[in-house]
Amino acid sequence: MRPFCMIALCVGLLAACPAVAQMSLGEPVATVGPILTLDKTRLYSDSRYGRQTQAAIDAEVKAMAAENRSLQAALEAEEAALAERRPGLPAAEFQTLAQAFDAKVKDIRRERDAKARELSLRQEQSQRAFLQKVVPILNQIRTEMGAELILDRALVIWSSPTIDITDLAIGRIDGALLNTGTVPERAADPAPAASQD
């Protein structure tokens, strides 16, 4: 009777996991279940598309930082020149020049702050656009694995690493975007995003 119970239990467990057979050979397979997890940050930062998009934004941030340093040096030189002129200027004239300089500094600061906010917004929009683009790929993985839900690991207190599909998703995303020409092969980062086939 006991062997029969064990066989019945094994058959029941196998019947509960029909999606295992649907996974293609060579791909990392998470434990099939109703819930899967993925690292949303890694999905963007470790995929070729995400790296290239982020590289473009990083280049603009670097250029803006260089512009900021140049502007700061110019303003410091202008302030020092104004301070040198102070002893030979009437108080009213110096006050007018000082106020004009202060207004100029504030205008530059507002313009630089606006540019920094614009870059930050563009990065957020880029990440949202990326997630929208890869939703069909994630949904396909979810369907293949018989899951009902994919959660961002950042929102989960604890989960088993066996239900994480991040590496699998990165491999699928890179393959899909490269095959459709979204990321030209010659321009793609040659470093592997994650362990794949």
Side-chain angles (χ1 to χ4, degrees), residues 17-25 27 140-141 143-146 172:
C17 304
V20 172
Q22 297 177 18
M23 299 302 294
S24 59
L25 295 176
E27 288 185 327
Q140 180 182 8
I141 294 172
T143 301
E144 289 175 0
M145 303 190 79
R172 294 276 189 95

Side-chain angles (χ1 to χ4, degrees), residues 16 45-46 71 74 82 86 91 93 119 129 134 139 151 154 159 168:
S45 65
D46 288 5
L71 284 169
L82 184 60
R86 182 173 187 174
E93 184 178 351
L119 277 175
V134 303
N139 193 46
L151 294 176
S159 67
L168 171 61

Side-chain angles (χ1 to χ4, degrees), residues 36-47 130-131 134 138 150-156 159 161 163-170 173:
L36 301 171
T37 63
L38 61 79
D39 187 331
K40 189 173 68 174
T41 301
R42 272 195 59 219
L43 205 63
Y44 180 78
S45 65
D46 288 5
S47 65
F130 169 78
L131 287 175
V134 303
L138 298 177
I150 301 177
L151 294 176
D152 183 2
R153 285 181 59 184
L155 303 175
V156 179
S159 67
I163 65 170
D164 183 82
I165 61 166
T166 305
D167 289 339
L168 171 61
I170 289 172
I173 288 165

Side-chain angles (χ1 to χ4, degrees), residues 14-129:
L14 289 174
C17 304
V20 172
Q22 297 177 18
M23 299 302 294
S24 59
L25 295 176
E27 288 185 327
V29 179
T31 299
V32 178
I35 297 175
L36 301 171
T37 63
L38 61 79
D39 187 331
K40 189 173 68 174
T41 301
R42 272 195 59 219
L43 205 63
Y44 180 78
S45 65
D46 288 5
S47 65
R48 294 182 185 183
Y49 175 86
R51 282 200 303 269
Q52 285 191 215
T53 304
Q54 187 59 45
I57 294 173
D58 287 346
E60 291 190 55
V61 170
K62 186 176 180 180
M64 190 178 79
E67 290 172 3
N68 288 346
R69 288 191 296 270
S70 178
L71 284 169
Q72 182 178 354
L75 289 172
E76 287 174 353
E78 187 175 343
E79 183 181 27
L82 184 60
E84 287 180 6
R85 292 180 59 193
R86 182 173 187 174
L89 292 174
E93 184 178 351
F94 175 79
Q95 186 67 22
T96 300
L97 291 173
Q99 289 175 348
F101 176 76
D102 186 54
K104 178 180 179 179
V105 170
K106 289 179 179 177
D107 286 344
I108 290 174
R109 183 177 295 128
R110 278 193 295 269
E111 183 268 331
R112 304 314 289 178
D113 287 346
K115 187 168 183 180
R117 286 193 299 271
E118 178 190 351
L119 277 175
S120 179
L121 179 61
R122 282 176 53 199
Q123 181 169 22
E124 292 175 7
Q125 291 172 338
S126 170
Q127 291 176 351
R128 283 197 298 269

